[in-house]
Amino acid sequence: MTAKRTVAQLLSDYASILDELRDRKIIRSSNNPLSDYAELLFCNAYGWTREGNSASGHDATDASGVRYQIKARRITPHNRSRQLSAIRNLDKGPFDVLAGLLVDQTFQVMRAALIPASIIRGESDHVVHTNSWKFLLRDDVWKMDGVLDVTVKVRNAATQLNTLG
């Protein structure tokens, strides 16, 4: 039970969990593990090649050279926002498709989509303060022409990954 643990113990547990996820090659950075997890799920589901951590504007590429920006959002009872993290240089065309993922508070796949960059450009708002664009992965996105619902395929990739010990 976590209620009996001190804050220091909980943070230490969290650090140990991140180390174990890194050892298992689930995550590869020290950032929020959701980003790395989403990249891994999409790449495993589609056979994409993950870019290095320093790649600018896209996270993965498929065999035909299509560039994918992968974004995810964890929906919790405390924060139901669908706003993805900042999208940089959208006006410069750094990716061809945005792979978007929503997970619940326990990191279970809720919905996933492949969204053409043209839709992202048309549906995003520029944020002057951060010189980035914000995009909300609302339910109506899945109804837009050109958007592919890939929930089942990404959920299957998560199931396969979660069977590993």
Side-chain angles (χ1 to χ4, degrees):
M1 164 124 316
T2 58
K4 304 285 186 212
R5 300 184 61 70
T6 67
V7 171
Q9 288 170 325
L10 291 170
L11 290 172
S12 178
D13 291 347
Y14 180 69
S16 295
I17 289 167
L18 291 178
D19 287 344
E20 182 64 24
L21 289 170
R22 185 183 327 280
D23 289 347
R24 293 183 186 201
K25 310 260 188 278
I26 304 300
I27 63 173
R28 59 185 183 158
S29 72
S30 296
N31 299 327
N32 178 341
L34 178 57
S35 297
D36 287 341
Y37 183 58
E39 287 179 15
L40 183 62
L41 290 181
F42 276 104
C43 288
N44 284 359
Y46 287 95
W48 301 339
T49 301
R50 285 172 95 174
E51 297 294 332
N53 285 338
S54 61
S56 179
H58 65 284
D59 301 303
T61 309
D62 69 15
S64 61
V66 175
R67 299 165 302 157
Y68 297 88
Q69 174 69 258
I70 302 170
K71 299 281 186 182
R73 184 70 185 211
R74 184 171 165 247
I75 308 298
T76 70
H78 311 291
N79 188 347
R80 304 202 59 77
S81 172
R82 299 283 189 97
Q83 183 176 324
L84 300 179
S85 63
I87 300 171
R88 305 273 179 215
N89 300 314
L90 183 58
D91 55 335
K92 294 179 175 65
F95 62 89
D96 304 303
V97 176
L98 186 136
L101 174 66
L102 298 175
V103 299
D104 68 15
Q105 66 182 3
T106 63
F107 292 83
Q108 300 302 304
V109 172
M110 294 170 58
R111 295 193 85 176
L114 297 179
I115 310 161
S118 58
I119 291 175
I120 301 299
R121 282 190 294 275
E123 297 292 324
S124 295
D125 294 318
H126 186 250
V127 180
V128 175
H129 175 71
T130 59
N131 192 27
S132 65
W133 282 259
K134 72 176 182 179
F135 179 76
L136 294 153
L137 192 51
R138 301 178 314 267
D139 285 333
D140 65 337
V141 169
W142 276 263
K143 298 174 187 167
M144 295 179 180
D145 286 340
V147 174
L148 296 176
D149 185 338
V150 296
T151 303
V152 171
K153 192 155 184 151
V154 174
R155 193 175 283 147
N156 288 343
T159 299
Q160 288 179 342
L161 187 64
N162 291 327
T163 60
L164 302 175

